[in-house]
Amino acid sequence: MAVTIRDIAPRKRNVASLVGGYVIAVGCFVLWLLCAAQLTRWPPSLTLIASGLFVAVAIGVWIRLADL
């Protein structure tokens, strides 16, 4: 039988993990654009920019949730 403890307050979320997630997401997006500019012509296509934005947001959310 599982033991549950209900009298403990929920964990407090840290602001640093939120800021860290945003910073990492912006950094990933900038690096994506820089790599895309070197591998393709400038400016990169909209699909390449959109995929970079998706990857950056996914990594930022992952970092945010991993720090909780």
Side-chain angles (χ1 to χ4, degrees), residues 16-67:
S17 66
L18 178 64
V19 173
Y22 285 139
V23 169
I24 295 296
V26 169
C28 285
F29 185 64
V30 169
L31 286 175
W32 184 281
L33 288 180
L34 290 173
C35 289
Q38 291 295 317
L39 296 174
T40 62
R41 66 185 198 287
W42 183 257
S45 66
L46 286 177
T47 57
L48 197 57
I49 292 172
S51 62
L53 187 62
F54 176 76
V55 168
V57 167
I59 291 173
V61 168
W62 183 21
I63 294 296
R64 166 73 170 125
L65 294 177
D67 278 346

